[in-house]
Protein backbone atom coordinates (compact mmCIF):
# COMPACT_ATOMS: atom_id res chain seq x y z
CA UNK A 1 0.00 0.00 0.00
CA UNK A 2 1.34 3.43 -1.02
CA UNK A 3 1.67 5.80 1.96
CA UNK A 4 1.83 9.01 -0.09
CA UNK A 5 4.87 10.17 1.85
CA UNK A 6 7.70 11.51 -0.26
CA UNK A 7 9.95 14.54 -0.28
CA UNK A 8 8.35 17.42 -2.19
CA UNK A 9 11.27 19.39 -3.62
CA UNK A 10 8.86 21.85 -5.23
CA UNK A 11 7.61 22.95 -1.81
CA UNK A 12 11.18 23.55 -0.66
CA UNK A 13 12.14 25.49 -3.77
CA UNK A 14 8.98 27.63 -3.50
CA UNK A 15 9.66 28.42 0.16
CA UNK A 16 13.33 29.08 -0.52
CA UNK A 17 12.63 31.24 -3.54
CA UNK A 18 10.18 33.38 -1.59
CA UNK A 19 13.06 34.28 0.74
CA UNK A 20 15.52 34.89 -2.07
CA UNK A 21 17.35 31.58 -1.69
CA UNK A 22 17.70 30.64 -5.34
CA UNK A 23 20.81 28.47 -5.21
CA UNK A 24 21.63 25.16 -3.58
CA UNK A 25 24.31 26.99 -1.63
CA UNK A 26 21.85 29.55 -0.21
CA UNK A 27 19.42 26.81 0.88
CA UNK A 28 22.23 24.79 2.45
CA UNK A 29 23.58 27.83 4.29
CA UNK A 30 20.20 28.80 5.71
CA UNK A 31 19.36 25.22 6.76
CA UNK A 32 22.81 24.33 8.04
CA UNK A 33 23.22 21.27 5.83
CA UNK A 34 25.76 20.43 3.16
CA UNK A 35 25.30 21.87 -0.30
CA UNK A 36 25.81 18.40 -1.78
CA UNK A 37 22.88 17.14 0.30
CA UNK A 38 20.61 19.85 -1.12
CA UNK A 39 21.81 19.07 -4.63
CA UNK A 40 21.04 15.36 -4.22
CA UNK A 41 17.64 16.09 -2.63
CA UNK A 42 16.52 18.51 -5.32
CA UNK A 43 17.84 16.21 -8.02
CA UNK A 44 15.83 13.29 -6.65
CA UNK A 45 18.95 11.22 -6.04
CA UNK A 46 18.45 10.70 -2.29
CA UNK A 47 15.80 10.54 0.40
CA UNK A 48 16.22 13.08 3.21
CA UNK A 49 16.92 11.95 6.74
CA UNK A 50 14.59 13.10 9.50
CA UNK A 51 17.32 15.43 10.76
CA UNK A 52 17.60 17.06 7.32
CA UNK A 53 13.82 17.43 7.04
CA UNK A 54 13.68 19.09 10.47
CA UNK A 55 16.54 21.45 9.55
CA UNK A 56 14.77 22.44 6.31
CA UNK A 57 11.40 22.88 8.02
CA UNK A 58 12.98 25.05 10.73
CA UNK A 59 14.95 27.12 8.24
CA UNK A 60 11.89 27.88 6.12
CA UNK A 61 9.35 28.08 8.94
CA UNK A 62 7.16 25.30 7.62
CA UNK A 63 5.75 22.04 8.95
CA UNK A 64 7.26 18.67 8.15
CA UNK A 65 3.90 17.87 6.54
CA UNK A 66 4.59 20.56 3.96
CA UNK A 67 7.77 18.81 2.87
CA UNK A 68 6.52 15.21 2.89
CA UNK A 69 2.85 15.57 1.97
CA UNK A 70 3.20 18.49 -0.41
CA UNK A 71 0.96 20.80 1.56
CA UNK A 72 2.29 24.29 1.79
CA UNK A 73 0.91 27.51 3.15
CA UNK A 74 1.86 30.82 1.55
CA UNK A 75 5.31 31.93 2.64
CA UNK A 76 5.41 34.22 5.64
CA UNK A 77 6.86 37.69 5.33
CA UNK A 78 9.48 37.18 8.05
CA UNK A 79 12.87 35.78 7.20
CA UNK A 80 13.62 32.90 9.61
CA UNK A 81 17.16 31.71 10.09
CA UNK A 82 20.34 33.45 9.10
CA UNK A 83 20.45 35.03 5.68
CA UNK A 84 23.30 33.87 3.47
CA UNK A 85 26.25 36.11 4.25
CA UNK A 86 27.52 36.14 0.71
CA UNK A 87 26.15 34.40 -2.34
CA UNK A 88 28.62 32.59 -4.52
CA UNK A 89 28.19 31.23 -7.98
CA UNK A 90 26.19 28.04 -7.72
CA UNK A 91 23.71 26.06 -9.70
CA UNK A 92 20.32 27.79 -9.72
CA UNK A 93 17.27 25.88 -8.67
Amino acid sequence: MESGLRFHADVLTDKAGSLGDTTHYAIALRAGVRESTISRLLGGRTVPSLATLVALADAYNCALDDLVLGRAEPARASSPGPAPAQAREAVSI
Side-chain angles (χ1 to χ4, degrees):
M1 173 163 46
E2 180 85 17
S3 69
L5 296 178
R6 67 175 182 85
F7 177 66
H8 288 266
D10 58 325
V11 172
L12 176 60
T13 56
D14 288 348
K15 295 270 187 186
S18 71
L19 294 178
D21 294 346
T22 59
T23 64
H24 294 174
Y25 176 73
I27 295 170
L29 188 63
R30 185 180 299 269
V33 299
R34 297 181 70 160
E35 184 178 5
S36 61
T37 298
I38 299 302
S39 179
R40 288 191 315 272
L41 285 174
L42 296 181
R45 295 184 308 272
T46 191
V47 176
S49 68
L50 181 57
T52 298
L53 284 171
V54 169
L56 292 168
D58 285 348
Y60 290 101
N61 199 22
C62 65
L64 289 174
D65 288 0
D66 296 343
L67 298 175
V68 297
L69 296 175
R71 298 186 297 209
E73 299 173 6
R76 295 182 177 106
S78 65
S79 177
Q86 179 181 10
R88 66 178 171 115
E89 291 298 315
V91 176
S92 290
I93 305 172

